Amino acid sequence: MGTYDVMQVCMNGHKITHSYVENPEFRQSACDQCGADTIHKCPECGEPIRGKYLVEGVASVGGPDPPEHCHECGDPYPWEDEADQFAEVDASVLDDELAERCLSEYESGHYQSAVRTAFTVLEGRVRDKGGFPQGLSGAKLMLEAFNADEGPLSFGQTEGEQDGVMFLYRGAFQALRNPVSHRFVEDVDEDYARDAIHTVNLLLRLLDENTSA
Ligand SMILES: [Zn+2]
Ligand SMILES: [Zn+2]
């Protein structure tokens, strides 16, 4: 049986050293890559972070990457809930067509175009389901599709729900899509695009699962 040395890691997840005990000269109080503070113990329970695995008489090179969770209490380490991880769009929860058409644009940094494409997918789906011609699009399409009196798509049990859905879909185009197409182009960053794509994902899901034509 071997033993573990201790690892020192910065709050953003850069490994400082996996030989904190054996090589104290490698310790840093601030990360030399990003300047963040460093830790070598779990902030939750105080258990040292596992570093290099040492077996007596066996020399080895290298060591593990920073772990995601504390092996003692199971809490995620601080670098695991960093915002940049959240910024990724999780393809596994997205509608297949949406993932296929938007993700490459999103991942290559074309955020504005990724958002536009997401809404184009939604438009196409509503058009197909309601039997509308190509020419009808955007807010007007949503208004006609979900109209409580003569719209082809019905949702929920009450007229209130039906109205709510109509306003939701129409509003998504007016408030979230149209600004992307016309104005505020510089405001469409990675975070906006991610949230817009997930919003469209929800609307696609409601359309597929809760709407009848
Ligand atoms: Zn760092
Ligand atoms: Zn812990």
Side-chain angles (χ1 to χ4, degrees):
M1 274 297 281
T3 56
Y4 288 96
D5 202 309
V6 172
M7 188 184 296
Q8 188 178 42
V9 186
C10 93
M11 298 301 267
N12 290 323
H14 297 122
K15 181 165 81 173
I16 309 298
T17 174
H18 48 242
S19 310
Y20 185 84
V21 177
E22 192 187 358
N23 300 104
E25 70 276 19
F26 293 156
R27 298 177 188 181
Q28 297 173 8
S29 57
C31 176
D32 62 353
Q33 289 186 65
C34 73
D37 289 344
T38 60
I39 56 172
H40 63 280
K41 292 179 194 162
C42 171
E44 190 58 32
C45 72
E47 179 74 12
I49 301 168
R50 275 180 176 166
K52 185 172 179 167
Y53 189 60
L54 308 162
V55 181
E56 199 163 346
V58 178
S60 67
V61 185
D65 290 330
E68 295 174 6
H69 300 95
C70 172
H71 63 275
E72 184 64 27
C73 72
D75 253 46
Y77 285 123
W79 47 89
E80 278 307 298
D81 36 52
E82 278 302 300
D84 57 345
Q85 297 219 336
F86 185 63
E88 289 170 16
V89 170
D90 181 356
S92 68
V93 303
L94 289 185
D95 178 90
D96 289 345
E97 186 189 1
L98 189 64
E100 193 175 307
R101 294 183 57 184
C102 287
L103 279 186
S104 62
E105 291 181 312
Y106 176 83
E107 279 161 5
S108 60
H110 297 95
Y111 301 124
Q112 189 196 349
S113 152
V115 173
R116 258 202 313 251
T117 302
F119 278 96
T120 303
V121 170
L122 179 59
E123 255 174 356
R125 194 78 59 88
V126 170
R127 216 183 267 131
D128 284 353
K129 191 150 187 171
F132 288 102
Q134 280 296 323
L136 197 59
S137 62
K140 189 161 163 37
L141 170 64
M142 302 305 138
L143 202 58
E144 298 209 2
F146 294 101
N147 187 291
D149 294 329
E150 58 228 22
L153 302 184
S154 63
F155 185 102
Q157 308 290 324
T158 66
E159 199 168 310
E161 259 183 286
Q162 178 78 29
D163 275 351
V165 164
M166 180 184 73
F167 288 126
L168 180 65
Y169 282 75
R170 190 182 70 164
F173 278 84
Q174 291 175 317
L176 305 178
R177 198 284 303 266
N178 293 349
V180 172
S181 297
H182 306 309
R183 290 172 285 134
F184 310 130
V185 166
E186 65 278 11
D187 293 337
V188 178
D189 60 7
E190 183 175 7
D191 288 338
Y192 184 94
R194 177 201 65 226
D195 291 348
I197 290 169
H198 279 293
T199 302
V200 169
N201 193 53
L202 172 64
L203 297 178
L204 286 169
R205 184 194 302 253
L206 291 174
L207 188 68
D208 288 346
E209 295 175 6
N210 299 72
T211 308
S212 44

